[in-house]
Every structure is written in C-alpha cells, then in structure tokens.
Amino acid sequence: MAAVFLTSDLHLGHEFLAELRGFDSVADHDEAIMTHLTESLEVGDRLWILGDLSRGRPEDEEHALGLLGAALPGVEKHLVPGNHDSCHPLFRRAYHRQRMFLEVFDSVSVFQRVTWGGEDVYLSHFPRPGQDHPGMPSRFDELRLRVPLLVHGHLHSDFPVTGRGQVDVGVDAWDLRPVPVEVVHRTLSTSLDR
C-alpha cells in the first residue's frame, strides 16, 4: 500500500538556512534534504510539501524544482505553497509562476482539507494567526486559517507540536526528514491533550 509523507521548509539552495542547520555548504544541505526524501519515499507514495521549497528567487526555485522533479519519479507530489514560493497567491503575479510548479507537482493549492480518523484536518504552510518565528511579529495573518486541527510549516520549530491541535512538519522539527502521515496524525492527537 502506498505511503503518505508530509514535510515543509526544505529551503533548497538557501545559504542562510544551510548554515543555520549546521552545513558547511548549500550543496551538502541540499544533498542531505534530497537523500532523506529519496530514502523515505517509493514509487506510488504521496508527498505533501507545505511550502518554502527554496528562498524564492527565480534561480533558486528552478534549482529546487529541478531537484524534486528528477529525484522522485513515480511519487505523487502536492505543494501547499509558502511565503517563499512565487506561486503563492500572496504574490500579485503568482498565476504566471504556477505553470512551472505544475510541471513538477500534481497539485498546487493554498491549503488542503483532509480527513483523518473522521475529523477534518487542514494542511497549510502557515500556523494559526498570531504565530511566527520567535522574536518576530506575526506576518500574513490574513492568509492563515483558524481551524481546530492544523498541520503546517513556516516556523522552523525545534519541536513538532506548536499548539493545541497544531503540528509543524517542517524539516527542522523532524531531523530534516519527511514525516509519515501516521506519525503526524498521532502527534496531532497527542497535541490535543495539552
């Protein structure tokens, strides 16, 4: 049976994030991220990336899309774009960039509702309104969902649970690896006990 994985905030080609994550070079960072993806996923599996493939410059996006397109043949890939993805509708000309992303991804949508254990769970790049990187004011609150169960990225959290009914699947909280959906679901359920 096909497996489902979630991840976020790959930031391929991003010098600052590579250094912050302890890598000597961007190439080493990108190789680690891509190795974890290719070792985890098999043909027929499904991958949800909840945004921020790269830093967002056109050349960085092309680099990230090239890596993801070449490395994961036969994997069903879906993107919920983030604030560093030019196809996110927060950018005025996002519709011009979406075609390039659809050459690699089976779908691109600003959020996705799924059902786990009979409950609606939302996949979004952003956490709920009012949360952002430590020490920063919350940005993009008008784009954020106010829902009971939310799986997100954006925060670069050290720990996956970021609030009651809220889990960060960004690579920073998961040893730079994609997370099996069963683990995310279990973690989300545990977060409700807070």
Side-chain angles (χ1 to χ4, degrees):
M1 184 168 170
V4 178
F5 290 83
L6 295 99
T7 193
S8 181
D9 298 284
L10 307 180
H11 286 284
L12 298 166
H14 196 298
E15 298 89 358
F16 176 71
L17 261 294
E19 183 180 323
L20 198 63
R21 290 172 176 163
F23 290 91
D24 293 329
S25 71
V26 171
D28 290 345
H29 170 267
D30 291 1
E31 182 180 346
I33 297 285
M34 294 308 299
T35 297
H36 292 320
L37 284 171
T38 57
E39 287 176 352
S40 299
L41 290 126
E42 299 177 359
V43 171
D45 287 348
R46 179 180 302 144
L47 175 65
W48 287 93
I49 300 179
L50 305 187
D52 288 1
L53 303 179
S54 71
R55 180 170 47 184
R57 298 182 313 193
E59 60 271 20
D60 295 331
E61 286 185 338
E62 290 167 17
H63 167 72
L65 290 169
L67 288 174
L68 291 165
L72 300 169
V75 171
E76 183 182 313
K77 297 178 287 292
H78 300 278
L79 176 66
V80 174
N83 56 297
H84 287 280
D85 300 312
S86 65
C87 63
H88 193 292
L90 73 89
F91 298 105
R92 286 185 184 91
R93 300 184 56 80
Y95 59 95
H96 286 288
R97 303 286 292 171
Q98 197 168 68
R99 185 180 315 269
M100 180 175 69
F101 286 81
L102 287 169
E103 290 174 5
V104 173
F105 289 95
D106 294 282
S107 73
V108 176
S109 58
V110 72
F111 69 86
Q112 181 62 53
R113 185 179 71 182
V114 296
T115 303
W116 293 348
E119 295 190 87
D120 286 340
V121 177
Y122 288 81
L123 310 179
S124 175
H125 175 67
F126 299 108
R128 292 187 190 110
Q131 289 183 284
D132 219 302
H133 305 292
M136 292 180 67
S138 187
R139 303 167 295 153
F140 313 116
D141 278 356
E142 69 279 6
L143 303 173
R144 298 176 185 222
L145 302 174
R146 294 179 189 275
V147 294
L149 300 174
L150 180 66
V151 177
H152 67 89
H154 186 66
L155 293 180
H156 298 267
S157 306
D158 290 332
F159 303 100
V161 175
T162 57
R164 181 176 169 75
Q166 186 172 273
V167 172
D168 188 343
V169 293
V171 296
D172 300 283
W174 299 94
D175 195 30
L176 303 180
R177 299 175 187 279
V179 192
V181 70
E182 300 83 8
V183 174
V184 178
H185 185 213
R186 190 168 51 249
T187 306
L188 190 63
S189 295
T190 302
S191 77
L192 295 173
D193 298 334
R194 296 179 120 208

